[in-house]
């Protein structure tokens, strides 16, 4: 899947079947996701869409990981809940 962050504070994630989007805000290492929405086509595997909609609202921080261009999203317990890599 791919996730794109726009300068206007919105994000869009393409999963190969459905799209997930919403708003993000933050500064420095803090980040939050809100107002999420998704298309609802029946896909052979809905795991990515379902997981993103459950995990992203729990994210409160992010940071670059050991591999340059790879970032981790963390929940309030400082647990790594999602990773993304720059294309």
């Amino acid at each position: 899947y791919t996730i794109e962050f726009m300068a206007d504070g919105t994000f869009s994630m393409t999963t190969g079947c459905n799209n997930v989007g919403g708003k993000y805000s933050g500064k420095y290492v803090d980040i939050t996701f809100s107002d999420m929405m998704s298309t609802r086509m029946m896909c052979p595997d809905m795991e990515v869409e379902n997981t993103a909609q459950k995990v992203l609202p729990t994210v409160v921080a992010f940071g670059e990981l050991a591999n340059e261009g790879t970032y981790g999203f963390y929940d309030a317990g400082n647990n790594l809940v999602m990773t993304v890599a720059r294309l």
Side-chain angles (χ1 to χ4, degrees):
Y1 61 90
T2 59
I3 186 168
E4 183 177 0
F5 296 92
M6 279 65 85
D8 67 356
T10 61
F11 75 94
S12 175
M13 183 184 326
T14 304
T15 64
C17 183
N18 281 302
N19 298 314
V20 176
K23 296 179 181 179
Y24 74 94
S25 63
K27 94 190 208 194
Y28 304 112
V29 298
D30 299 330
I31 190 167
T32 57
F33 294 90
S34 62
D35 297 337
M36 292 183 45
M37 59 193 143
S38 173
T39 57
R40 288 292 183 190
M41 296 185 292
M42 289 304 296
C43 306
D45 183 2
M46 298 287 292
E47 186 174 345
V48 172
E49 293 93 339
N50 292 337
T51 299
Q53 288 192 340
K54 290 178 185 172
V55 169
L56 286 175
T58 70
V59 171
V60 298
F62 74 98
E64 190 166 15
L65 301 175
N67 294 335
E68 186 176 338
T70 302
Y71 298 86
F73 290 144
Y74 299 88
D75 66 12
N78 205 32
N79 299 300
L80 179 64
V81 294
M82 182 182 277
T83 60
V84 296
R86 185 179 296 188
L87 296 177

